[in-house]
Amino acid sequence: MPTNGRHAVGAGALLAILRDGQPRTRGELARLTGLSRSTVSQRLDALIGSHWVVEDEGAISSGGRPASMFTFNGGARVVLAADLGATRARLAVLDVGLNVLAEQVADLPVDLGPEPVLGAVAASLRDLLATAGRDPAQVCGVGIGLPGPVEHRTGRPVNPPIMPGWDGFPVPERLRELLAERLAEWPGDGSGERPGDRLVEGSGDRLGELPGAPVLVDNDVNVMALGEHWAARPAVDHLIYIKIGTGIGCGIISGGRLHRGARGAAGDVGHIRVPASGAPCRCGNTGCLEAVAGGASMAAALRAAGADARGSKDVVALMRAGDPLATRLVRQAGREVGAVMAAIVNFFNPSVIVLGGDVAEAGEQLLAGVRETIYSRSLPLATQHLGIRTGELGDRAGVVGAAVMVVEHVLDPATIDEATGERPAYVTAR
């Protein structure tokens, strides 16, 4: 904390600087932080010993011996990530530079319940870790997005409408146990130690030791918003991410940070009431946006008309095939979503609205409806430079965002200082 114009700088602060990928010398780091070169060297030694920083081999000499340069080691650790939807799951292994090393998409209905779903997630993540050629000891954390309200502090779902049996379930604790069981089957290294044991007890970067390797859980739309913000930054500080799939949800980035609200319920726009609609919603109310514009409601309307539509992807496929009813439904869904978003644009004034989810694959038919209503119902000042587009990451937004959630936690300067044992030094603020 700043004290009389001074602020603390530890190993974590050095790592935060180097995370932009630009190699720097000890002298540059000393100038940027206000630390002495000897203190910078000490901090760098701790970060190198933890494999977070490596010496860059691309230093160019202008005569004589080139100065050593140091850079962030994005491949030092890996994150296990899972994005669970109503009917499918995307799972991945990413390095801390957020490069996808291995991934899988599987049919996995969330209404099967927490035990079978988390068991399948643990088994798939174990297989993907092997596919990526990484060892359990390199796992620095696990991130998972769930299709329902989540109390982020505990990682427990709270009255999720499409997740029977999940209310209050200890997802982080149970997933850790299941991963430990699966990774106990990992091929041994001759040491007599089971890798699965390293996930349950130990220290440093082992999965059972918080905060070194946490299991973090959040709402799926929140992690998608994190993913799209990572893809867009540093250009965007105020972003709204709308997922339109089986249901409808919203993730909010405000001032460059995810806004969860007091209890993690921020952004639940799918249950805002739409005027003049009495359609029943799965939450128990009537007239919700989701019941009018969600993929499930559109698929039901198509089935009633005799079409073979089981879900959101079928709606989009029929639209692309030229089905007039599917086209009208998608366009109207865009208008209904736009009407709700117009109020949010006036209230929040974002710079970008990003559309994702299965229905967003409809492209311009959906975007046209959303834009039409937002631009006609929002204040001109709020829409003057507003961008409305589909996501850059597509289906990967969830797993990338789940990894972002973990990486930002693990590489938080205070966490790094604690892990390296380097006490921050106070320097004069510049």
Side-chain angles (χ1 to χ4, degrees):
M1 295 178 62
T3 305
N4 295 327
R6 294 162 64 82
H7 62 280
V9 179
L14 288 186
L15 185 61
I17 293 171
L18 292 171
R19 281 183 63 190
D20 66 2
Q22 179 182 338
R24 292 180 173 86
T25 65
R26 291 182 177 87
E28 288 174 317
L29 291 169
R31 287 193 295 273
L32 287 169
T33 61
L35 296 172
S36 68
R37 286 176 64 97
S38 61
T39 302
V40 166
S41 294
Q42 181 180 337
R43 302 282 191 264
L44 284 172
D45 287 344
L47 292 170
I48 291 170
S50 300
H51 307 291
W52 290 121
V53 168
V54 292
E55 188 168 347
D56 185 74
E57 297 179 355
I60 300 175
S61 173
S62 58
R65 183 179 178 181
S68 296
M69 303 188 77
F70 302 89
T71 189
F72 175 58
N73 183 11
R77 306 284 200 282
V78 294
V79 178
L80 307 181
D83 174 24
L84 303 188
T87 58
R88 293 192 315 280
R90 180 177 289 269
L91 306 109
V93 177
L94 303 90
D95 64 22
V96 291
L98 300 175
N99 300 297
V100 176
L101 307 179
E103 64 182 328
Q104 173 188 351
V105 178
D107 291 328
L108 188 61
V110 75
D111 61 7
L112 291 175
E115 284 293 342
V117 169
L118 294 179
V121 167
S124 295
L125 290 175
R126 186 263 186 213
D127 293 343
L128 286 171
L129 188 62
T131 299
R134 296 303 189 101
D135 185 87
Q138 293 178 292
V139 176
C140 70
V142 182
I144 181 169
L146 297 178
V150 174
E151 185 182 46
H152 180 67
R153 182 181 62 83
T154 63
R156 299 190 176 202
V158 181
N159 295 320
I162 65 168
M163 301 171 64
W166 288 80
D167 184 29
F169 190 84
V171 175
E173 295 84 352
R174 185 58 180 144
L175 183 55
R176 179 184 287 112
E177 292 170 356
L178 290 166
L179 278 168
E181 292 171 7
R182 292 293 182 178
L183 291 170
E185 304 163 7
W186 199 269
D189 58 6
S191 67
E193 180 184 30
R194 298 188 312 161
D197 292 337
R198 287 178 279 171
L199 295 172
V200 180
E201 55 187 350
S203 61
D205 59 355
R206 296 167 182 172
L207 188 56
E209 176 103 352
L210 298 180
V215 178
L216 300 181
V217 185
D218 206 340
N219 174 267
D220 61 344
V221 186
N222 280 347
V223 297
M224 290 175 182
L226 283 173
E228 286 294 340
H229 179 245
W230 171 81
R233 69 180 180 182
V236 176
D237 279 339
H238 304 285
L239 177 149
I240 296 287
Y241 180 90
I242 300 290
K243 177 189 177 185
I244 311 174
T246 302
I248 299 175
C250 170
I252 305 165
I253 301 293
S254 177
R257 300 175 65 87
L258 180 66
H259 175 73
R260 294 186 174 94
R263 294 294 303 275
D268 199 357
V269 299
H271 300 288
I272 292 176
R273 185 175 176 83
V274 175
S277 171
C281 182
R282 57 188 175 175
C283 73
N285 292 322
T286 59
C288 295
L289 175 65
E290 186 173 296
V292 175
S297 68
M298 287 189 282
L302 286 164
R303 286 196 303 272
D308 181 16
R310 296 178 299 276
S312 304
K313 284 190 173 293
D314 297 323
V315 174
V316 175
L318 285 166
M319 185 215 73
R320 288 177 173 171
D323 184 279
L325 177 57
T327 301
R328 287 199 304 272
L329 287 170
V330 168
R331 189 68 176 258
Q332 184 59 31
R335 295 189 185 100
E336 298 289 359
V337 170
V340 170
M341 294 311 301
I344 293 174
V345 167
N346 286 333
F347 175 78
F348 178 64
N349 188 204
S351 53
V352 175
I353 294 176
V354 179
L355 274 63
D358 290 344
V359 179
E361 295 177 9
E364 281 303 318
Q365 289 291 351
L366 181 71
L367 281 168
V370 172
R371 287 170 175 154
E372 172 188 332
T373 316
I374 287 179
Y375 288 130
S376 65
R377 298 192 183 185
S378 299
L379 295 171
L381 181 61
T383 58
Q384 188 174 11
H385 299 292
L386 176 65
I388 304 173
R389 58 174 174 79
T390 55
E392 295 182 29
L393 297 177
D395 289 345
R396 278 184 171 175
V399 291
V400 171
V404 169
M405 177 171 61
V406 171
V407 169
E408 292 302 320
H409 178 89
V410 170
L411 298 188
D412 180 83
T415 304
I416 291 296
D417 289 343
E418 182 179 350
T420 59
E422 290 290 325
R423 295 182 60 185
Y426 281 91
V427 298
T428 302
R430 298 188 174 189

